[in-house]
Amino acid sequence: MSQPGSSDDPFKLALGVFALDALSDDEHRVMEAHIARCRRCRAEYDGFRDVVAGLALLSEDDIRHLRCE
């Protein structure tokens, strides 16, 4: 059994996908319930949400300049 917060914790692994709103409806409900009671996952999710919000502000030109050559 994995320890909470370990790299194979299914909740921890799904936080980024949840922040992108890319989970199925059932998975979304499970994640909502989990982050409502898990402060560690809620804090990490809030960070992902900030990143997603920032990415939404980038233009296509911004993204082209970010690409590695």
Side-chain angles (χ1 to χ4, degrees):
M1 179 157 222
S2 66
Q3 296 296 316
S6 69
S7 62
D8 61 340
D9 179 357
F11 291 109
K12 187 171 178 71
L13 291 172
L15 286 170
V17 181
F18 182 60
L20 291 168
D21 198 26
L23 294 175
S24 71
D25 290 342
D26 289 339
E27 292 167 324
H28 186 90
R29 282 189 289 279
V30 169
M31 284 299 295
E32 277 185 326
H34 177 74
I35 65 169
R37 65 181 183 274
C38 179
R39 281 189 245 162
R40 183 177 292 165
C41 284
R42 179 62 193 206
E44 191 165 341
Y45 167 68
D46 288 343
F48 280 126
R49 273 193 0 211
D50 291 344
V51 170
V52 170
L55 290 173
L57 299 174
L58 294 175
S59 69
E60 287 184 35
D61 284 338
D62 293 332
I63 294 168
R64 268 193 290 281
H65 293 305
L66 291 174
R67 290 189 181 148
C68 296
E69 295 181 14

